[in-house]
Amino acid sequence: AQKITQTQPGMFVQEKEAVTLDCTYDTSDPSYGLFWYKQPSSGEMIFLIYQGSYDQQNATEGRYSLNFQKARKSANLVISASQLGDSAMYFCAMREGDQAGTALIFGKGTTLSVSS
Amino acid sequence: EAGVAQSPRYKIIEKRQSVAFWCNPISGHATLYWYQQILGQGPKLLIQFQNNGVVDDSQLPKDRFSAERLKGVDSTLKIQPAKLEDSAVYLCASSFFSGGLNTGELFFGEGSRLTVL
């Protein structure tokens, strides 16, 4: 079974609008971490936001927020006020366990296109 | 702070030839990862090092892929002989291992894009 599922191959949004990128995960470990990375056409993976499984509040970082619904095992990324520079691939990833230094498992990604 | 360095950025080879990729992690990062990213897919872990020891190489095709991190700093990933399906971007990442709870964020290099003809 897929550990990380991203069902939207591509999403389109206009500048200044908000967009939600979906991510569901599957783990039996009670401790885990969820990450979102951005990959522009240049290829580098850029860390955006992190949510720990025991965090009570949804994570936020500037225009990025993570809508964490533990019971549904979903960790959707919300980008508010989209900008042209947000056009990129977005990957959801999971670390099983609570130790740093554990490899991340990635989903297949969602391509976001922002138009003016 | 310098980021993760990788070279070469691009490499084109014929099938059955060999290729090597180099990675220098962020200073002080004990954990180093090699991921393979095939076009249109997410990165897949090939091998993980903790200092100079292998933590996980379960998804490394060991008949053709090898990797080492001899002094616990930089690392080399080798493919010999290459197959067409090895065409991908090879991403190196590093993380700080504190032994305790932190985010465990991975820091990635720009990747090495391999084309096998």
Side-chain angles (χ1 to χ4, degrees):
Chain A
Q2 296 261 0
K3 293 266 187 179
I4 296 286
T5 303
Q6 295 181 255
T7 57
Q8 308 154 314
M11 290 287 284
F12 298 87
V13 68
Q14 291 232 307
E15 254 187 313
K16 302 190 179 93
E17 289 184 352
V19 62
T20 298
L21 306 183
D22 295 341
C23 172
T24 57
Y25 60 92
D26 183 26
T27 182
S28 56
D29 199 317
S31 297
Y32 52 89
L34 297 159
F35 301 75
W36 278 91
Y37 280 81
K38 172 184 178 181
Q39 188 177 43
S41 55
S42 59
E44 188 175 358
M45 298 282 278
I46 301 166
F47 167 72
L48 296 177
I49 196 166
Y50 167 80
Q51 180 87 40
S53 59
Y54 293 117
D55 293 344
Q56 295 295 315
Q57 293 190 316
N58 287 342
T60 60
E61 288 287 348
R63 294 186 299 111
Y64 304 108
S65 60
L66 200 152
N67 184 2
F68 181 45
Q69 297 188 47
K70 197 168 182 176
R72 297 178 62 185
K73 294 191 172 179
S74 76
N76 299 339
L77 177 70
V78 181
I79 306 175
S80 63
S82 296
Q83 301 172 356
L84 294 177
D86 293 335
S87 293
M89 274 288 270
Y90 288 80
F91 291 97
C92 180
M94 176 174 64
R95 180 200 69 235
E96 292 186 295
D98 60 4
Q99 290 296 311
T102 304
L104 301 188
I105 303 163
F106 286 84
K108 292 186 176 181
T110 296
T111 302
L112 177 65
S113 299
V114 182
S115 58
S116 56
Chain B
E1 176 182 83
V4 177
Q6 288 190 246
S7 67
R9 286 295 312 277
Y10 305 93
K11 189 75 176 179
I12 301 173
I13 60 173
E14 302 274 337
K15 61 182 178 184
R16 291 187 289 272
Q17 287 186 325
S18 63
V19 63
F21 302 112
W22 174 83
C23 172
N24 192 34
I26 292 172
S27 177
H29 281 193
T31 311
L32 185 148
Y33 315 78
W34 283 101
Y35 281 84
Q36 180 193 58
Q37 186 178 18
I38 292 172
L39 185 65
Q41 298 184 19
K44 182 186 87 170
L45 179 71
L46 290 175
I47 189 166
Q48 177 185 349
F49 293 95
Q50 180 74 23
N51 296 309
N52 60 351
V54 175
V55 174
D56 182 358
D57 63 356
S58 58
Q59 298 188 85
L60 187 74
K62 297 180 187 66
D63 57 334
R64 298 183 301 105
F65 286 65
S66 64
E68 60 184 14
R69 192 184 184 199
L70 292 175
K71 296 182 181 177
V73 180
D74 56 350
S75 176
T76 302
L77 176 71
K78 296 179 181 175
I79 308 173
Q80 181 178 14
K83 291 186 173 181
L84 297 177
E85 59 261 36
D86 298 333
S87 293
V89 175
Y90 291 87
L91 293 164
C92 180
S94 68
S95 68
F96 177 65
F97 180 73
S98 69
L101 180 62
N102 62 45
T103 68
E105 171 194 351
L106 268 58
F107 297 80
F108 283 85
E110 292 182 305
S112 295
R113 183 178 298 275
L114 174 65
T115 302
V116 182
L117 303 176

